[in-house]
């Protein structure tokens, strides 16, 4: 037998055969020679119980044997199988490669594992992975055996996974919410369009690098996602962000808010949520960080807070805010025994200024006095407008006797203004267990004592 006799026929040669398939003496001999399929080598019951597709074909590509799983999967009965060749069940797109494979097999070149696509009787395409072996006798190819595993479910799962990955990539890429993703080594793997628009940095410049901090800070600093990756550094989150809490509805996510230095070249207030992603072995593989620009809202909130706590005329604390501070300082004094003194002062003969010069000048005088006093007190002190032309200074950590010099300094500074106005001051130190009303009444009594004594004076409560 020469090499040509060992070649499998081409698809056209098999297809063009017109004589019906029948078991001539040669085929019958081949069937006997592969009796391993049903005889001593393998049990017919065993093969039919197998989930894999098992087949044997002769040198011309005709089927010598197929098991039950093969028949049920492809949908052919025994009579139909007898008339089929291997090319009849192959998807047209893989027939040429299979023809080459069969010629290699006949030449003794065996590809142990390969993938092909079978076509069932119904027309359904079935991807399979096969392992093949050959049976030679006296140097002549008797049969080729193949065991195939249906890959349909795996391929469907792979296709689904691929579709989900594509969907996720597009979801991130085209989301209106700025999103970036870091891998476990802090490298940027995704930087969506909204993030480009927010930061002014294109994805091509940042993906694959660890330079994402440049989009938010002027100097190198960890972003929230970086701190989530390095669990040992999570303690820094509270120091870097003014608002820190668990993300609502996001398992293991962290929510933080803060003013960031250089977002798109300007200072912005960002709300950030960082969520870790783990693989099936619970190993961290990525962190997704989403951003929301709350600058306008934060500015509005701060303005509303300022309006709610600030005196519109003078720009210092209003009565409500200075009372709030006073309550806090009294509570602190009571808890720790630390001293606290308040100074009440008002402008002398202010009504005469309004009556003679008008309210516009009177308002200007109030602003000048507030600015002067505010520039003289300590950073730990607080100044507020108590009402009309009356003001209060809180001096935590100062006993009343030491506060006299402070009040005198304030009085002198106001007297030196080119406005021709003076102030009278009354001060009182908080007594153990004293209420806020009690403290204010004693300071107010000292203030009136200063006025009755001739004005432009400082008096301390008994």
């Amino acid at each position: 037998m020469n090499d040509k006799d060992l070649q499998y026929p081409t698809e056209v040669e098999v297809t063009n055969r017109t004589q019906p398939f029948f078991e001539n003496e040669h085929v019958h001999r081949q069937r006997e020679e592969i009796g391993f399929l049903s005889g001593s080598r393998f049990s017919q019951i065993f093969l039919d119980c197998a989930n894999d597709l098992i087949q044997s074909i002769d040198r011309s590509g005709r089927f010598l044997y197929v098991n039950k799983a093969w028949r049920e999967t492809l949908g052919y009965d025994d009579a139909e199988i007898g008339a089929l060749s291997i090319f009849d069940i192959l998807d047209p797109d893989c027939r040429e490669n299979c023809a080459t494979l069969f010629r290699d097999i006949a030449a003794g070149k065996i590809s142990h594992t390969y993938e092909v696509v079978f076509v069932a009787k119904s027309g359904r395409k079935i991807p399979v992975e096969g392992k093949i072996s050959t049976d030679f006798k006296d140097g002549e190819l008797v049969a080729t055996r193949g065991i195939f595993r249906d890959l349909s479910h795996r391929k469907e799962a792979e296709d689904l996974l691929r579709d989900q990955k594509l969907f996720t990539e597009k979801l991130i890429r085209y989301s209106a919410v700025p999103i970036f993703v870091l891998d476990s080594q802090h490298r940027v793997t995704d930087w969506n369009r909204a993030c480009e628009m927010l930061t002014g940095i294109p994805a091509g410049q940042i993906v694959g690098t660890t330079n994402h901090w440049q989009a938010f800070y002027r100097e190198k600093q960890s972003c929230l996602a970086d701190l989530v990756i390095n669990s040992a550094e999570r303690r820094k989150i509270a120091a870097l962000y003014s608002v820190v809490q668990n993300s609502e509805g996001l398992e293991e996510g962290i929510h933080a808010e803060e003013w960031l230095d250089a977002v798109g070249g300007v200072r912005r207030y960002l709300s950030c949520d960082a969520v870790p992603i783990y693989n099936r072995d619970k190993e961290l593989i990525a962190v997704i960080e989403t951003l929301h620009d709350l600058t306008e809202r934060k500015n509005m909130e701060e303005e509303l807070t300022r309006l709610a706590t600030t005196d519109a005329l003078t720009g210092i604390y209003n009565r409500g805010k200075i009372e709030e501070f006073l309550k806090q300082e009294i509570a602190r004094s009571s808890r720790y025994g630390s001293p606290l003194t308040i100074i009440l002062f008002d402008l002398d003969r202010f009504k005469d200024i309004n009556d003679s010069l008008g309210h516009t000048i009177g308002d200007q005088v109030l602003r000048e006095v507030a600015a002067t006093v505010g520039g003289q007190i300590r950073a730990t002190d607080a100044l507020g407008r108590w009402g009309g032309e009356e003001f209060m200074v809180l001096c935590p950590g100062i006993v009343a006797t030491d506060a006299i010099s402070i009040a005198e300094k304030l009085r002198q500074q106001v007297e030196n203004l080119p406005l021709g106005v003076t102030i009278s001051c009354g001060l009182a130190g908080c007594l153990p267990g004293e209420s806020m009303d009690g403290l204010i009444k004693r300071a107010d009594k000292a203030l009136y004592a200063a006025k009755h004594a001739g004005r432009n004076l400082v008096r301390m409560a008994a």
Side-chain angles (χ1 to χ4, degrees):
M1 178 176 294
N2 56 36
D3 291 341
K4 184 177 180 180
D5 293 332
L6 293 175
Q7 301 298 311
Y8 277 102
T10 65
E11 176 191 354
V12 174
E13 291 172 334
V14 172
T15 304
N16 287 341
R17 287 179 176 167
T18 55
Q19 65 180 25
F21 177 78
F22 60 90
E23 291 192 4
N24 55 28
E25 181 179 352
H26 179 67
V27 173
H28 182 71
R29 180 173 61 83
Q30 288 180 330
R31 289 191 179 276
E32 290 180 344
E33 288 174 341
I34 61 170
F36 61 89
L37 290 172
S38 58
S40 60
R41 295 189 188 182
F42 293 99
S43 166
Q44 183 73 40
I45 295 176
F46 175 81
L47 293 176
D48 276 343
C49 287
N51 292 323
D52 292 335
L53 284 61
I54 302 175
Q55 67 180 37
S56 178
I57 57 175
D58 64 18
R59 53 183 293 179
S60 67
R62 296 287 182 174
F63 289 99
L64 301 174
Y65 170 82
V66 297
N67 72 341
K68 181 180 179 182
W70 193 103
R71 294 192 299 272
E72 291 179 348
T73 301
L74 274 75
Y76 292 103
D77 59 30
D78 290 340
E80 292 169 324
I81 294 170
L84 294 174
S85 78
I86 186 63
F87 289 105
D88 293 323
I89 67 165
L90 289 175
D91 182 66
D93 291 339
C94 67
R95 288 178 186 173
E96 183 176 347
N97 290 337
C98 287
T100 301
L101 175 66
F102 294 156
R103 284 192 290 271
D104 290 342
I105 292 172
K109 303 174 183 179
I110 300 178
S111 175
H112 293 286
T113 302
Y114 59 97
E115 291 187 15
V116 295
V117 179
F118 287 166
V119 180
K121 181 179 178 180
S122 64
R124 180 172 69 92
K125 294 184 178 182
I126 306 169
V128 295
E129 181 181 66
K131 293 184 179 180
I132 62 174
S133 61
T134 55
D135 190 26
F136 286 85
K137 185 172 184 179
D138 299 329
E140 179 181 354
L141 179 67
V142 176
T144 300
R145 300 182 297 275
I147 301 177
F148 300 90
R149 178 153 296 174
D150 186 350
L151 301 181
S152 298
H153 294 305
R154 193 186 83 182
K155 291 292 186 181
E156 289 173 1
E158 290 174 350
D159 290 343
L160 179 61
L161 185 61
R162 189 162 41 249
D163 291 344
Q164 289 176 339
K165 184 175 183 295
L166 180 61
F167 173 77
T168 301
E169 289 174 350
K170 287 188 175 182
L171 186 65
I172 292 176
R173 182 63 179 161
Y174 299 108
S175 171
V177 176
I179 301 172
F180 68 91
V181 182
L182 303 184
D183 66 16
S184 60
Q185 302 303 312
H186 302 266
R187 291 185 296 262
V188 179
T189 60
D190 293 276
W191 188 267
N192 74 348
R193 289 186 177 180
C195 210
E196 291 178 328
M197 295 176 64
L198 175 67
T199 64
I201 299 180
Q205 183 178 327
I206 210 80
V207 171
T209 76
T210 58
N211 297 329
H212 49 285
W213 63 269
Q214 296 176 353
F216 309 102
Y217 302 102
R218 301 190 188 281
E219 297 181 356
K220 189 171 183 179
Q221 182 172 313
S222 297
C223 295
L224 185 61
D226 294 302
L227 300 174
V228 170
I229 292 173
N230 289 341
S231 57
E233 295 190 358
R234 290 192 183 187
R235 65 182 184 276
K236 295 181 180 179
I237 296 177
L240 295 175
Y241 295 88
S242 58
V243 176
V244 178
Q245 61 189 45
N246 293 331
S247 294
E248 185 175 350
L250 300 176
E251 186 176 357
E252 296 190 46
I254 297 178
H255 173 85
E257 298 179 14
E258 188 51 88
W259 287 99
L260 304 186
D261 294 338
V263 184
V266 298
R267 188 167 182 263
R268 295 181 182 274
Y269 188 85
L270 295 188
S271 168
C272 313
D273 288 275
V275 181
I277 305 298
Y278 300 94
N279 62 18
R280 65 176 61 187
D281 296 322
K282 304 300 182 182
E283 298 171 330
L284 180 72
I285 58 174
V287 174
I288 299 176
E289 182 165 344
T290 59
L291 310 169
H292 292 82
D293 185 1
L294 303 182
T295 306
E296 289 187 12
R297 192 184 82 180
K298 189 64 176 178
N299 284 335
M300 186 177 297
E301 289 176 353
E302 291 184 349
E303 178 62 15
L304 291 173
T305 299
R306 188 190 68 80
L307 293 174
T309 60
T310 304
D311 177 61
L313 177 63
T314 62
I316 63 176
Y317 291 123
N318 60 19
R319 178 161 180 159
K321 190 63 177 178
I322 204 69
E323 275 191 350
E324 179 184 332
F325 284 151
L326 181 55
K327 289 178 182 177
Q328 294 172 357
E329 292 302 331
I330 290 175
R332 183 178 292 109
S333 176
S334 175
R335 184 181 305 114
Y336 300 109
S338 55
L340 168 65
T341 298
I342 65 171
I343 302 172
L344 273 177
F345 69 88
D346 73 0
L347 278 65
D348 298 325
R349 298 186 173 88
F350 182 70
K351 183 177 184 301
D352 295 342
I353 296 175
N354 276 335
D355 292 343
S356 60
L357 301 177
H359 288 281
T360 300
I361 299 300
D363 290 346
Q364 182 62 33
V365 169
L366 291 174
R367 283 191 289 266
E368 290 287 343
V369 170
T372 299
V373 173
Q376 297 298 317
I377 62 176
R378 303 172 304 166
T380 55
D381 297 336
L383 170 65
R385 188 178 178 189
W386 195 246
E389 68 272 21
E390 193 171 11
F391 297 81
M392 178 183 288
V393 179
L394 303 186
C395 302
I398 298 292
V399 297
T401 52
D402 292 340
I404 293 176
S405 61
I406 297 175
E408 279 291 350
K409 180 181 178 182
L410 299 180
R411 184 194 65 75
Q412 291 172 11
Q413 290 294 324
V414 173
E415 185 179 21
N416 292 335
L417 289 174
L419 301 175
V421 295
T422 60
I423 60 173
S424 296
C425 305
L427 59 91
C430 187
L431 301 175
E434 187 172 28
S435 67
M436 183 178 72
D437 290 340
L439 177 61
I440 294 172
K441 285 179 180 179
R442 288 197 302 115
D444 191 53
K445 186 176 181 179
L447 170 60
Y448 277 95
K451 283 190 173 296
H452 288 307
R455 297 184 175 85
N456 194 26
L457 297 171
V458 174
R459 289 291 184 266
M460 184 178 72

